[in-house]
Amino acid sequence: MKGSKGRRAQKAGARPTVELEVLVEEESASEALKPLLARVLEDSHVRLRVRRFQGKPDLLKKLPDRLRGYAAARRRGSDVRVVVLLDRDNDDCATLKKDLDRYARQAGLTPRVDSDDAGCFDVLNRIAIRELESWYFGDWGAVREAFPKVAREVPRAYRDNPDLPAGKASDAFERALSSSGVRIASKPEWGRRIGPRLSVEKNRSPSFRTFLSGVRALTADAARDR
C-alpha cells in the first residue's frame, strides 16, 4: 500500500495507532534512543519499538528481508512505518543513503526522497555523522548530568559542529570521560545514562536535528487530538 493512500484514508476516519519500527546498529543506540523518542512521541498515536542488531554489517544484511516483512504487514492493514539509523563511519554518505532508499523501494515501501505531494512516506533513512557519540558532544549539558565529574567545557574540537571532527567520535568521547576520571567505557552504559537527558531542542549536531525532524515528519499525522 502506497503510503499516501493509506495516510489519506486514515484522515477520513478514526485515527489508528502507528507502529514505528526504529532499526539501529547496536545496543548503545537502542539505549540512547528509546527514552529520547518516547519523549518526542509521547503526545501521539505511535507505538514505538526500537530494534537493535549486532553491528552495521548485520543490520544491512538483514534489512531487505525485514523491510519486505514490514511491507507485507502494511498490505495486511497495519500502519507500520520504519526508521533506519546508521553510523556513517568511513562510508560515503550519499552512496549509503542511496542504497538504503533502494532497499525500501525494492521492498515496496516509500522512502522519504520519494514522498508524494502530501509529504507522505513509509521509511526514513538517517545517517549519524560520524557516530552516535557526536550527538553526545552536541548536548554537553546532558553528558554532565549523566557524568557530573566531566569537564565543564566540551572538548575544543567539538564546540562548534560536533559532526565535523575526523576520527571516531566514540574514541574521543571515551578520552573525554577518562581525562575527567570517569572510567566507564561501556557504550550501552553511556546510552542508558545520557539518552534520557538529551534535549530534543538544544543539540548542536546537525545530524541529530535532521534525525528528529525526519521522525516528526514521518509521524506528523499521528499527533493526538487536543
Side-chain angles (χ1 to χ4, degrees):
M1 179 171 58
K2 189 76 172 176
S4 58
K5 294 179 181 178
R7 221 68 61 85
R8 282 194 287 269
Q10 291 172 17
K11 291 177 180 178
R15 188 166 295 173
T17 297
V18 171
E19 299 176 30
L20 184 65
E21 295 274 331
V22 181
L23 311 183
V24 298
E25 295 182 12
E26 55 193 6
E27 182 182 3
S28 59
S30 173
E31 293 294 337
L33 290 185
K34 278 189 289 189
L36 173 71
L37 292 178
R39 279 184 283 134
V40 171
L41 301 170
E42 62 182 353
D43 291 324
S44 70
H45 296 268
V46 175
R47 182 182 301 130
L48 172 66
R49 183 177 292 114
V50 181
R51 297 186 185 275
R52 71 188 191 216
F53 291 77
Q54 300 301 315
K56 187 176 183 177
D58 182 50
L59 195 164
L60 289 172
K61 178 182 178 181
K62 295 175 180 175
L63 183 59
D65 282 345
R66 187 161 284 276
L67 291 175
R68 283 192 287 272
Y70 293 143
R74 289 188 61 83
R75 289 193 294 273
R76 293 192 298 269
S78 297
D79 191 353
V80 181
R81 305 177 197 178
V82 185
V83 177
V84 180
L85 177 65
L86 293 176
D87 288 346
R88 174 186 170 188
D89 300 317
N90 293 319
D91 287 328
D92 179 86
C93 189
T95 300
L96 181 59
K97 181 70 163 41
K98 286 181 180 178
D99 287 343
L100 295 176
D101 290 340
R102 176 167 49 84
Y103 293 153
R105 293 189 195 99
Q106 290 174 340
L109 297 170
T110 305
R112 188 176 191 184
V113 69
D114 296 342
S115 58
D116 63 12
D117 293 341
C120 296
F121 58 101
D122 309 320
V123 179
L124 175 70
N125 293 313
R126 282 289 175 258
I127 299 169
I129 301 174
R130 298 181 182 268
E131 294 180 300
L132 187 71
E133 284 74 15
S134 298
W135 296 0
Y136 300 161
F137 283 118
D139 187 351
W140 201 243
V143 173
R144 293 200 72 229
E145 286 182 19
F147 300 101
K149 291 173 63 177
V150 300
R152 184 178 298 277
E153 296 292 334
V154 65
R156 184 181 299 278
Y158 293 87
R159 287 180 187 172
D160 294 323
N161 182 342
D163 294 343
L164 288 182
K168 291 180 68 65
S170 56
D171 289 347
F173 188 76
E174 184 177 356
R175 287 196 297 272
L177 293 184
S178 62
S179 65
S180 301
V182 179
R183 309 299 181 190
I184 298 176
S186 166
K187 291 185 179 181
E189 184 62 19
W190 298 348
R192 277 190 285 275
R193 294 197 182 203
I194 300 172
R197 297 172 167 86
L198 284 174
S199 169
V200 299
E201 304 294 342
K202 298 179 180 178
N203 202 300
R204 291 179 293 103
S205 163
S207 69
F208 176 89
R209 296 196 298 269
T210 300
F211 171 74
L212 281 193
S213 67
V215 170
R216 286 172 168 138
L218 181 61
T219 60
D221 62 322
R224 290 189 184 279
D225 298 323
R226 299 190 180 182

